[in-house]
Amino acid sequence: MSAVSSRLPVFPWDKLEPYKATAAAHPDGIVDLSVGTPVDPVPELIQRALVAAANSPGYPTVWGTAELRDALTGWVERRLGARGVAHTNVLPVVGSKELVAWLPTQLGLGAGDRVAYPRLAYPTYEVGARLCGAEPVSYEDPTELDPAGLRLLWLNSPSNPTGRVLDKAELTRIVAWARAHGVLVFSDECYLELGWEAEPVSVLHPDVCGGSYEGVVAVHSLSKRSNLAGYRAAFLAGDAAVLGELLQIRKHGGMMTPAPVQAATVAALGDDTHVTEQRARYAARRTALRAALQGHGFRIEHSEASLYLWATRDEPCWRTVEHLAALGILVAPGDFYGPAGDSFVRVALTATDERVEAAVKRLG
């Protein structure tokens, strides 16, 4: 029974519990900047769409309603600049973490195959490789990898945790290299709506993929842009052959987005106003926290996009975690995202305005 779980790393967040207890003991309470979970309300128009679809007694389909697929294709063309996106080029999924964790398995990968991801990365890329018995490989530049046995290449721009953005030229070079070596590219673009000092570009942009989606798939989520982490609403867009295969597998596995969530997704993707409003909230929190951290002696690297500040005092990350916990502020240690992060901490922008203000005062 433990054969599969034994392949996996220790769940990292458990290691943070003692520091969370220290921060929670602060007289004014904890300011939790460790996890990037939305705290602002779900926009009213999305809630209304969910409620209106609440009477859904039948099974939803894995591929989603025609209205959902219209919303997905329309958004991909309008927001990402993609062209000629058909229903066969999109697929709803039950949140992006589920997809990341189980994608290598659903692609039929296993022993002898390799899955690559950035050296500073969301831990679930590695977990997905280990779940199916493939070899996880981290990279600084994917085009320097040995392509032998490399079956899946994860990109993540904007990056979690660093906020780094791959520009159009970098993406074009990587996609061309992957195609030349027959490597499937999955690009995690869940933070694409949150560019601050750079404008993130999708692998589906015609300047990157050349107008063909062969060998490239983008992953998008409504968790951050629309505060829908609790809804588990995400989708894929790209290579129709890859998505068609995943659709067949996910039908057998019953991986269905609930019907009310499908309706809520249609409403969310059809409205840009709430996205602009949420961006403004995060921008204000980012400005305040960045200045406070720098005033406290931190250096901020990258962080040109996404929901985090990648910060360092040039000391072991756990010493920084301990220091901030004593101020009642909880952050994520950089080594959660790979050994290269061992002198950094990830500071999330996902706290209320009141809690961010408290953190700023304590850092001052």
Side-chain angles (χ1 to χ4, degrees):
M1 293 295 290
S2 64
V4 176
S5 64
S6 65
R7 301 177 194 161
L8 306 181
V10 175
F11 190 65
W13 294 96
D14 293 343
K15 296 166 61 178
L16 205 55
E17 286 301 315
Y19 302 92
K20 185 174 184 178
T22 297
H26 189 279
D28 185 39
I30 188 173
V31 179
D32 192 344
L33 306 177
S34 65
V35 183
T37 186
V39 296
D40 300 302
V42 173
E44 284 290 338
L45 85 160
I46 301 176
Q47 293 190 47
R48 289 196 297 270
L50 184 84
V51 171
N55 184 22
S56 298
Y59 289 111
T61 63
V62 172
W63 201 16
T65 62
E67 291 78 12
L68 174 60
R69 284 177 266 130
D70 283 342
L72 297 179
T73 56
W75 185 87
V76 168
E77 291 190 344
R78 185 179 79 251
R79 182 62 183 84
L80 305 184
R83 298 172 186 160
V85 182
H87 281 193
T88 52
N89 296 117
V90 293
L91 179 66
V93 295
V94 192
S96 58
K97 183 168 185 174
E98 168 262 307
L99 183 279
V100 173
W102 293 107
L103 177 66
T105 298
Q106 292 175 22
L107 291 174
L109 305 190
D113 296 322
R114 299 161 71 226
V115 174
Y117 51 87
R119 72 184 184 112
L120 281 168
Y122 182 48
T124 312
Y125 303 132
E126 177 186 354
V127 167
R130 294 190 180 280
L131 280 170
C132 72
E135 178 189 355
V137 180
S138 66
Y139 64 79
E140 182 67 40
D141 179 346
T143 66
E144 296 177 356
L145 291 169
D146 179 355
L150 183 60
R151 302 287 303 283
L152 174 62
L153 172 62
W154 278 108
L155 303 180
N156 180 210
S157 175
S159 162
N160 172 16
T162 69
R164 180 188 175 199
V165 173
L166 298 176
D167 64 26
K168 191 178 291 184
E170 289 177 287
L171 288 171
T172 302
R173 177 177 62 87
I174 293 167
V175 168
W177 177 87
R179 282 174 167 166
H181 294 286
V183 179
L184 177 62
V185 174
F186 263 69
S187 180
D188 181 346
E189 302 174 355
C190 290
Y191 296 93
L192 184 134
E193 298 271 27
L194 299 169
W196 311 116
E197 297 162 9
E199 185 60 41
V201 180
S202 173
V203 292
L204 303 184
H205 192 285
D207 290 351
V208 174
C209 68
S212 167
Y213 305 128
E214 181 182 357
V216 292
V217 177
V219 182
H220 283 272
S221 168
L222 281 74
S223 293
K224 309 302 192 290
R225 73 183 294 280
S226 300
N227 300 333
L228 295 189
Y231 284 46
R232 310 315 300 134
F235 64 92
L236 308 178
D239 191 322
V242 175
L243 299 192
E245 177 67 12
L246 291 176
L247 174 60
Q248 295 307 314
I249 294 165
R250 295 171 70 83
K251 282 180 179 179
H252 284 290
M255 295 176 174
M256 300 173 283
T257 302
V261 174
Q262 293 189 30
T265 300
V266 172
L269 292 178
D271 177 73
D272 294 330
T273 300
H274 77 277
V275 179
T276 302
E277 293 172 350
Q278 188 59 45
R279 273 181 54 87
R281 295 186 190 103
Y282 285 137
R285 293 166 188 166
R286 178 180 183 273
T287 298
L289 284 170
R290 185 185 186 105
L293 287 165
Q294 290 174 325
H296 198 75
F298 281 88
R299 186 177 75 256
I300 309 297
E301 289 198 359
H302 290 301
S303 308
E304 58 261 32
S306 84
L307 275 181
Y308 312 104
L309 293 169
W310 187 238
T312 182
R313 298 202 309 171
D314 296 309
E315 66 182 5
C317 60
W318 286 99
R319 187 179 301 169
T320 306
V321 170
E322 182 179 32
H323 169 75
L324 291 175
L327 299 177
I329 301 169
L330 189 67
V331 297
D335 66 3
F336 277 10
Y337 308 95
D342 62 5
S343 64
F344 286 80
V345 293
R346 193 194 74 169
V347 183
L349 309 178
T350 49
T352 63
D353 293 340
E354 183 273 331
R355 287 289 82 189
V356 168
E357 183 180 354
V360 169
K361 289 180 179 177
R362 296 175 195 182
L363 289 167

